Amino acid sequence: MPNAPIFILIEPQMGENIGASARAMLNCGITELRIVNPRDGWPSEKAHAMSSGALDIMPPVQIFENVKDAIRDCHTVYSTAALPRTMVKPVMTPRAAVRDMVEHAQNHEKIAVLFGRERSGLSNEEIALSHALISIPVNPEFSSLNLAQAALLIGYEWRMMADQTPPVDIPMGKSFPATQKDFDDVMTRLENELTQHGFFRVDEMKDLMKQNIRNMFMRAQPTDQEIKTFHGIITALLGKKLK
Ligand code: SAH
């Protein structure tokens, strides 16, 4: 995974929110947390309790006196706010922002995301220090999220983007999903042999049963190799020697 962004909380007021943010970060594999002037000081018992162990696993939180110092070594900076301010600054959804972040991170840049105070968010001066603003598009009538929940949503988008694991993965080795013709051939052969061996005792049920059998194997979506094995099974059950 490319370099994870650094999350920077600006003057957070509640230790609980710091702890919950740390937990959300580590959930998403983001481990570098910086804090500018935490209101109730640092370390914070409430933050540690709320982090559920995350703060013990993550590298020590770095504390700064002002935002400029906190972002001094960073190359690309994003700010976050519920409502886009009147400022000439790209406003991005988290998805667009993390796409951008991954590009910068692949360039070995240090990326920072600034989060504001619970009560008043980030000031315009602080937002002006960033290259772009991330606004999470929730209900426009009620768009202010809890600090840690905003951190989670952005962290999660980063994880989804940076983690190239496909959502569903079936390692297939050298085989490939069977073509519909190969699937149909083996099903037709099975039906014919079942007919010959008196499996379909009630004529009216025959079509429905055929359908059920096909559905059952359809769900398995056999590979070309598995279809060959299936042919082999039928041959063996018929008492014929396998070639
Ligand atoms: N009343 C403040 C709310 C701050 S909420 C304000 O209007 O800005 C605390 C922090 O959570 C914000 O500063 C921001 O960093 C983050 N946040 C909350 N809701 C957000 C949203 N919809 N999009 C992006 N960040 C959000």
Side-chain angles (χ1 to χ4, degrees), residues 80-82 85 114-122 134-136 138 143-145 147 150:
T80 56
R85 318 287 172 93
L114 309 180
F115 294 89
R117 304 148 186 87
E118 289 91 329
R119 193 163 306 146
S120 56
L122 292 169
I134 306 173
S135 184
I136 303 167
V138 285
S143 62
S144 174
L145 287 152
L147 173 58

Side-chain angles (χ1 to χ4, degrees), residues 5 10-11 13 37 50 52 55 68 71 89-90 101 125 127-128 143 165 183 209 215 218 224 233:
I10 313 297
E11 301 190 341
Q13 296 158 291
N37 283 336
M50 197 71 181
S52 275
L55 283 168
K68 279 197 175 156
I71 60 173
K89 189 83 60 193
M101 272 179 218
E125 290 72 30
I127 291 177
S143 62
T165 313
F183 181 76
M209 288 179 83
N215 280 338
M218 198 80 178
D224 46 6
I233 292 171

Side-chain angles (χ1 to χ4, degrees), residues 1-5 7 27-30 78 92-106 111 134 152-167:
M1 285 213 256
N3 280 350
F7 278 14
N27 286 144
C28 300
I30 298 170
Y78 301 83
M92 299 180 160
T93 60
R95 201 157 297 173
V98 296
R99 207 172 287 140
D100 200 50
M101 272 179 218
V102 168
E103 273 176 35
H104 284 282
Q106 276 163 351
I111 316 287
I134 306 173
L152 177 63
L153 288 174
I154 293 173
Y156 182 72
E157 285 293 348
W158 179 80
R159 182 147 195 102
M160 289 293 98
M161 188 69 62
D163 179 2
Q164 295 300 320
T165 313

Side-chain angles (χ1 to χ4, degrees), residues 50-221:
M50 197 71 181
S51 83
S52 275
L55 283 168
D56 300 319
I57 299 171
M58 293 156 73
V61 172
Q62 287 178 274
I63 306 293
F64 294 85
E65 273 178 20
N66 59 65
V67 186
K68 279 197 175 156
D69 282 347
I71 60 173
R72 187 183 291 278
D73 59 337
C74 300
H75 302 95
T76 302
V77 180
Y78 301 83
S79 50
T80 56
L83 296 173
R85 318 287 172 93
T86 43
M87 208 182 290
V88 190
K89 189 83 60 193
V91 179
M92 299 180 160
T93 60
R95 201 157 297 173
V98 296
R99 207 172 287 140
D100 200 50
M101 272 179 218
V102 168
E103 273 176 35
H104 284 282
Q106 276 163 351
N107 207 18
H108 306 292
E109 292 179 30
K110 264 196 186 183
I111 316 287
V113 185
L114 309 180
F115 294 89
R117 304 148 186 87
E118 289 91 329
R119 193 163 306 146
S120 56
L122 292 169
S123 68
N124 283 346
E125 290 72 30
E126 287 157 351
I127 291 177
L129 296 172
S130 65
H131 297 94
L133 183 73
I134 306 173
S135 184
I136 303 167
V138 285
N139 178 4
E141 314 285 331
F142 195 76
S143 62
S144 174
L145 287 152
N146 164 269
L147 173 58
Q149 289 171 342
L152 177 63
L153 288 174
I154 293 173
Y156 182 72
E157 285 293 348
W158 179 80
R159 182 147 195 102
M160 289 293 98
M161 188 69 62
D163 179 2
Q164 295 300 320
T165 313
V168 180
D169 186 26
I170 303 176
M172 305 243 290
K174 286 202 178 91
S175 47
F176 209 70
T179 62
Q180 289 314 292
K181 177 181 181 305
D182 288 348
F183 181 76
D184 187 55
D185 284 353
V186 78
M187 286 294 116
T188 305
R189 183 175 172 214
L190 179 68
E191 286 159 6
N192 289 342
E193 294 300 345
L194 288 173
T195 305
Q196 290 209 0
H197 288 78
F199 175 76
F200 300 110
R201 259 170 281 178
V202 187
D203 223 26
E204 306 88 77
M205 295 293 284
K206 191 172 171 179
D207 283 346
L208 182 66
M209 288 179 83
K210 279 187 184 178
Q211 225 172 60
N212 287 346
I213 294 169
R214 280 190 183 236
N215 280 338
M216 187 163 74
F217 288 107
M218 198 80 178
R219 279 200 300 277
Q221 209 178 17

